[in-house]
Amino acid sequence: MRAKPFTITDVGALLGVQRLPGGDENSYNVVCPFCGDERGKCNFVVIKKGEIVNVYHCFHCGAGGNMLTLYADLQGIYGENRYLKSYWMIQEKLPMGIKECRIRQKQVLQREKRCREKLSEPVDYEQRDQVYREMLKLLKLSFSHKADLRRRGLTEAEISRMEQLGYKSICAEDSVSIARRLIRSGCNLKGVPGFFVNRNHDWEIAFYPKNSGYLCPVWSFDGLLTAFQIRLDVPYQKRKYVWLSSAKLNKGCSPGSPVSLSGDPDAQRVFVTEGILKAEVTHQRTGETYIGNPGVLNHKELRQMLIRLKGRGLQEVVEANDMDKLMRLACRKDYGTVCWTCSESGTECPKKKEKREQIRKGCLKLYEICEELSLTCRRAVWDVDAEGMWKEQYKGIDDWELRYNLVSYGQEAA
């Protein structure tokens, strides 16, 4: 397909979309121009996997499309040929002549070629599993991270089991030596998410001080270790979790957004909740089988997991997403600086409404998938008042299941 002489970056600049810190010229986060989210949930992608895409997606409100839909929607251009109209309006406003247009097209294609040369295709799950298992032998769960799990209410036995599963601490100082030791042991790191070639032409793993924390392993339906999320010691742009990824680095790649299975793949009942760590913690406490979905709006991988589980006898799905789905919307001035724009306490909070609608949208999609697959689906609720609304003491299913231990440790649910 012929390259356009501009990218979604140019379109965003024309529309006044605010770019957030971090990322690179090919992928970065912005303040969502539709819902206003400032936490990095809205992503602009110019080039993905070595191909020009010029797309955006907000994981908070669900808005998404390409650079022409972005322009048309924000400028109120509707009707037949609205994307063609948008294209010519963008080119007119930039502006550029025929010569400059050709030069910019060539520059975009050169960027695409450079990215394609730098990327590695992700290897299959079997190869990832081999490397990751060897990597985990070189790591341990630090005292401070064990303390974090105790604070959540986990027992020593539960923490030990999670450590055996791959809950280990990141060691930024050993990022190069870990890669070297894996290579000496016979591992091929090319195409394994998280590994890349650094400026010194050495293989390295993406462990840095800024993503310091502990690994949360993603286990597949087949019992293979396919990816890791990192529970950050210090949240980055209000995010507590990031993927172990080398997508923007030389010879690196992305892990995607796989869901994780905690428990028995032959179970007739499975719980679905948002979060890899949350699912494993609750499985450890209850023994129930859990699917950890990395995002409430992450549907593709979730659907595939449910299809495979149904083939092994799954009959019932329990939606156990956070209790934001039943929170009251009254403003209590508890959203920081955002609340300065509210007229008075007690009115309906637009931020809470937005958040509740997002999680309800994710729940609805799960119900639709279950109906499509002829699976029984019911909702799990907890910590509710006489009217069936959330009392705001225990947000996640893990908070609820660990509540007695939390009291004994003198902690609040986190």
Side-chain angles (χ1 to χ4, degrees), residues 18 20 66 101 171 231 244 276 303 341 381:
Q18 181 182 347
L20 295 171
N66 59 44
C101 180
C171 186
R231 176 56 166 89
L244 174 60
I276 308 301
R303 183 178 182 277
T341 59
V381 297

Side-chain angles (χ1 to χ4, degrees), residues 171-198:
C171 186
E173 296 80 5
D174 295 334
S175 60
V176 175
S177 65
I178 287 172
R180 287 176 177 171
R181 293 173 69 180
L182 290 173
I183 292 171
R184 286 199 297 268
S185 68
C187 292
N188 184 354
L189 305 184
K190 184 177 180 181
V192 179
F195 291 92
F196 66 100
V197 175
N198 63 24

Side-chain angles (χ1 to χ4, degrees), residues 322-371:
D322 288 354
M323 286 302 294
D324 302 60
K325 61 196 177 191
L326 293 177
M327 70 174 169
R328 297 183 184 278
L329 302 181
C331 172
R332 295 200 300 270
K333 300 293 183 181
D334 48 4
Y335 263 90
T337 56
V338 176
C339 298
W340 295 349
T341 59
C342 286
S343 56
E344 58 180 293
S345 180
T347 58
E348 186 177 275
C349 173
K351 294 293 291 185
K352 288 182 179 179
K353 183 177 181 180
E354 191 177 279
K355 190 173 184 180
R356 190 175 77 176
E357 289 308 308
Q358 180 201 19
I359 195 166
R360 286 185 174 184
K361 185 177 180 180
C363 293
L364 179 61
K365 186 61 180 181
L366 174 59
Y367 306 148
E368 291 174 354
I369 293 172
C370 289
E371 183 178 4

